[in-house]
């Protein structure tokens, strides 16, 4: 079974609008971390936001917020007030505490911001 | 501060050849991980090294090997290259070895093309 599933290969959003990128995960480990990374065409993976499995509140980092629904095993990324520079690939990832030495990544979502 | 540095940025090799990719972690980071990202996919874990010892290995054949040096830099070696080895190879460094929270810092990667 896939550890991380991203079902949106591509998304479009109007500049200044909000967009939600979907992510579901699968784990039996009660302690884990969920991450979102941005990958521009240059290739570097840029860390955006983190949510721990025991965190009571949804994580926020500037224009990024993570909609964490533990029972549904979903960790959707919300980008508010989209900017042209947000156009990139976005990857959801997970690390499990008991085997925390690797990231499991989804297949990514390509976001295009339209002027 | 210098980020994670990878070299070379691009290279082209012929099937059957050998390749060495290099990674310099952020100063003070003792853990280095390698990931392979095939076009259109998310990164897949290859190796993690911490304090010069292998701490984790993904589902890759023995043609893939790596090592970490006393200055914590690392090399990834791939023997008997196949066309399917064409990918972006990402290096990530971190201060710790095994923590669900500790997000890694990624380099910009090496784009390997096998012809």
């Amino acid at each position: 079974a896939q550890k991380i599933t991203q079902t949106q290969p591509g998304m479009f959003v109007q500049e200044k609008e909000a967009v939600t990128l979907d992510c579901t995960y699968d784990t039996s480990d009660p302690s884990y971390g969920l991450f979102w990374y941005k990958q521009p065409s240059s290739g570097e993976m840029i860390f955006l936001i983190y949510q721990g499995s025991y965190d009571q509140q949804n994580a926020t980092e500037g224009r990024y917020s993570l909609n964490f629904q533990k029972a549904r095993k979903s960790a959707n990324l919300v980008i508010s007030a989209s900017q042209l520079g947000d156009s990139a690939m976005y990857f959801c990832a997970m690390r499990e505490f008991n085997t925390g030495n690797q990231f499991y990544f989804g297949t990514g979502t390509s976001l295009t911001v339209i002027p | 501060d210098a980020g994670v540095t990878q070299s070379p940025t691009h290279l082209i090799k012929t099937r059957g050849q050998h390749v060495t990719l290099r990674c310099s972690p952020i100063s003070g980071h003792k853990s280095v991980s390698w990931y392979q990202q095939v076009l259109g996919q998310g990164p897949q874990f290859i190796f993690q090294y911490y304090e010069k010892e292998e701490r984790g290995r993904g589902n890759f054949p023995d043609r893939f090997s790596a090592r970490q040096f006393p200055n914590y830099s690392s090399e990834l070696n791939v023997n008997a290259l196949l066309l399917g080895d064409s990918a972006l190879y990402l290096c990530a460094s971190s201060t710790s070895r095994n923590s669900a929270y500790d997000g890694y810092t990624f380099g910009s990667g090496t784009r390997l093309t096998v012809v």
Side-chain angles (χ1 to χ4, degrees):
Chain A
Q2 292 290 330
K3 291 276 189 181
I4 296 288
T5 301
Q6 295 180 254
T7 58
Q8 304 158 313
M11 291 283 286
F12 293 86
V13 64
Q14 205 75 37
E15 193 178 7
K16 300 180 184 178
E17 296 293 314
V19 63
T20 298
L21 306 184
D22 295 340
C23 173
T24 58
Y25 61 92
D26 182 35
T27 181
S28 57
D29 193 328
S31 182
Y32 52 90
L34 297 161
F35 302 77
W36 277 90
Y37 283 87
K38 174 184 179 181
Q39 187 178 44
S41 56
S42 61
E44 183 179 2
M45 299 290 279
I46 302 168
F47 168 75
L48 297 178
I49 197 167
Y50 165 82
Q51 180 85 43
S53 59
Y54 295 117
D55 292 344
Q56 295 298 312
Q57 294 189 331
N58 287 343
T60 60
E61 290 285 350
R63 294 186 299 111
Y64 304 108
S65 60
L66 200 152
N67 184 2
F68 181 45
Q69 299 188 43
K70 196 170 183 177
R72 291 187 168 188
K73 292 190 174 180
S74 73
N76 298 340
L77 176 70
V78 180
I79 305 174
S80 62
S82 296
Q83 302 171 356
L84 295 178
D86 293 336
S87 294
M89 284 293 293
Y90 288 81
F91 290 93
C92 179
M94 176 177 66
R95 293 182 68 187
E96 297 164 317
F97 182 77
N98 290 325
T99 58
N101 59 350
Q102 67 170 289
F103 280 102
Y104 298 97
F105 284 90
T107 52
T109 296
S110 176
L111 178 65
T112 302
V113 180
I114 304 168
Chain B
D1 289 340
V4 178
T5 305
Q6 293 188 242
S7 63
T9 55
H10 297 78
L11 76 164
I12 300 174
K13 290 286 190 178
T14 304
R15 278 177 297 176
Q17 284 188 316
H18 164 272
V19 68
T20 298
L21 311 180
R22 295 178 175 83
C23 172
S24 294
I26 290 175
S27 178
H29 284 194
K30 299 180 179 181
S31 175
V32 170
S33 295
W34 288 94
Y35 287 79
Q36 180 197 63
Q37 187 178 13
V38 174
L39 190 64
Q41 298 294 320
Q44 297 289 318
F45 173 70
I46 309 176
F47 285 111
Q48 185 202 32
Y49 276 78
Y50 179 76
E51 290 283 15
K52 301 180 287 297
E53 293 188 12
E54 184 181 307
R55 302 293 184 167
R57 183 183 183 118
N59 187 25
F60 280 81
D62 291 343
R63 299 186 296 108
F64 289 77
S65 63
R67 54 179 176 169
Q68 188 177 32
F69 299 99
N71 66 354
Y72 303 111
S73 67
S74 177
E75 284 183 353
L76 175 69
N77 296 284
V78 186
N79 293 323
L81 285 166
L82 303 174
L83 295 179
D85 295 331
S86 295
L88 178 68
Y89 288 85
L90 293 164
C91 172
S93 76
S94 174
T95 55
S96 69
R97 177 177 75 89
N98 188 8
S99 166
Y101 173 73
D102 190 24
Y104 280 28
T105 301
F106 284 84
S108 295
T110 295
R111 292 191 184 273
L112 171 65
T113 302
V114 182
V115 297

